[in-house]
Every structure is written in structure tokens, then in C-alpha cells.
Amino acid sequence: MVDDADAGGWSAVAAGWSELWADAARPAHDAIIAAAGIGPGARVLDVGCGSGEFLLTARDAGAQVTGVDPAGGMRELARNRGLDVRDADAAHLPFTDGTFDVVAAVNALHFADDTTAALREFARVLAPGGRIAVANWAEGALNDVDVIERAVAAADESDPLPDGPLRPAGGLEAAFAAAGVHPLEAGVVEAPWTAPDDETLVRGILLGEDAAALDFFRAAIVEAAAPFRTADGYVLRNAFRWAVGEV
Ligand SMILES: C[S@@+](CC[C@H](N)C(=O)[O-])C[C@H]1O[C@@H](n2cnc3c(N)ncnc32)[C@H](O)[C@@H]1O
């Protein structure tokens, strides 16, 4: 899977991300929309908005929505859905101070070079009384997908990627505190990922890899996923942690 902040890499996998993974975060979208009080008229910015799924949900809730993403392929998908999305990363938001009521980042803050600087930049564009809302995959122990990623690493004779600092319990709150953001509410939500068949499973796990890699790792992935196979395909139980804060 794409695991760095490379905008070209995210552009290359934009369609696959949107098709296979973006919907997995919907329970986190619902949690932060409720906790941040996103409703009619709220001015919402989504940082690292990808193909725009969170923005569409916030728009359905009545918000005025804007996104930023450094990956052109992601911006194109989001714009094709009628969304206002600018070319920017978390460190440099192209908006004047106090523009938004909510600044959100779903599965994106960890790609910023400096999480603290990024959260301070979120705070800069936040209007008085506004909210910062962040959601990220929870620690590997809560994610079935981690079992499969460890099997891929073993087949590759490499070490699995460690959990980043935002993923364990308290990680988002600690990042908020470092940036002067006061946590108001936080939680963890189940966010299952489903794949109807082996082909989709392997394509999703190896998003961005070439055909040779898919062939090479297929057997290890299918074997590791066996405990998650159901009559309707694979169901991997994963989780997102989320936190909402104010400055
Ligand atoms: C895992 S995807 C998540 C996309 C979307 N938020 C979602 O939940 O479906 C990560 C997104 O972060 C973007 N990204 C990468 N580096 C970033 C940065 N430094 N600042 C903001 N976004 C970044 C990528 O282009 C990509 O669209």
C-alpha cells in the first residue's frame, strides 16, 4: 500500500483508493460530524481530502465544504464530484486566518512532515470557537488488516511498519496538546473493510503495487485472510480513533 506522503504516489492510486478504501472511514466521518457539530451553514475544510468522501457527507449535513490535497489525481476525482478542492498540503493552507468553523483531517494528518506545525496551521484558519477534528486508523492490534500486512512483510522478509504515534489510544490527544489544541471529545469506532473476492482483497492490500507484486504476494495474503473469510467474501474488522478539539 501507499504509505508515505508522496503526492505522485497518491495520484497514481487515487481511483483505486476511492473504489476500495475511502468508504471504510465512513463511521469516523459520522463520529466527527456529530462531535464537531457540523450542520447547516458550517464552513468546513478537509485537509488531505482525497477523493472527497468526507466532504460529500459534510455537504449532505448542510455544511459549506472546501478541501485541499497535494495529489492532483485525488483533486480531479473530488472536483468531478462538484467539490471545491485546492492544491495544498497540511503545512500551508491557502486561506486567511479565521476562515473555517471546522478543520478536519481523515487519515491524512500523519502524512504531514510536522504534525504539530500542521495542527497550528489548522488553528490559524479556524474562526473563534471553531473545532479541529482528526481521525486516523487505530493501532494495529485493533485492525485485522494488520494481520495481513504482517504476512506481506514476512513474505517480503522485511519488518512490518510500526504504528505511528497518532494511532494508539491518547495519540491524537497528545498531538493536540503539543499544538495548543484542547481535546473536547475523542473515541474509537469500528470501521470494517470488505472485499468480495480474492482479486479485490489482493488489489486492496497491495494498492499501488505492480502486477508482479500482486502475483508474488497473492498466496500469502489469501492465506493470512482466511480467518476473515465469510460466505459474502472477506470482512476485516478495523477501527478508527478520532478526536475533536478547540484552540
Ligand atoms: C489515506 S488518503 C486519505 C484520503 C481521505 N482523507 C480519505 O479519508 O479517504 C491520504 C491523503 O492525504 C494526502 N496527503 C499526503 N500528504 C499530505 C500532506 N502533507 N498534507 C495534506 N494531505 C496530504 C494524500 O494525497 C491523500 O489524498
Side-chain angles (χ1 to χ4, degrees), residues 1-2 4-7 10-11 17 21-23 25 29 46-54 68-72 74 88-91 105-113 137 240:
M1 283 196 63
V2 180
D4 61 22
D6 171 51
W10 281 110
S11 282
W17 176 265
W21 284 102
D23 279 340
H29 297 170
D46 184 14
V47 179
C49 65
S51 41
E53 285 73 11
F54 175 74
V68 297
D69 201 290
M74 290 288 195
D89 66 27
V106 179
N107 200 5
L109 180 61
H110 55 297
F111 293 119
D113 290 337
W137 290 112
F240 269 79

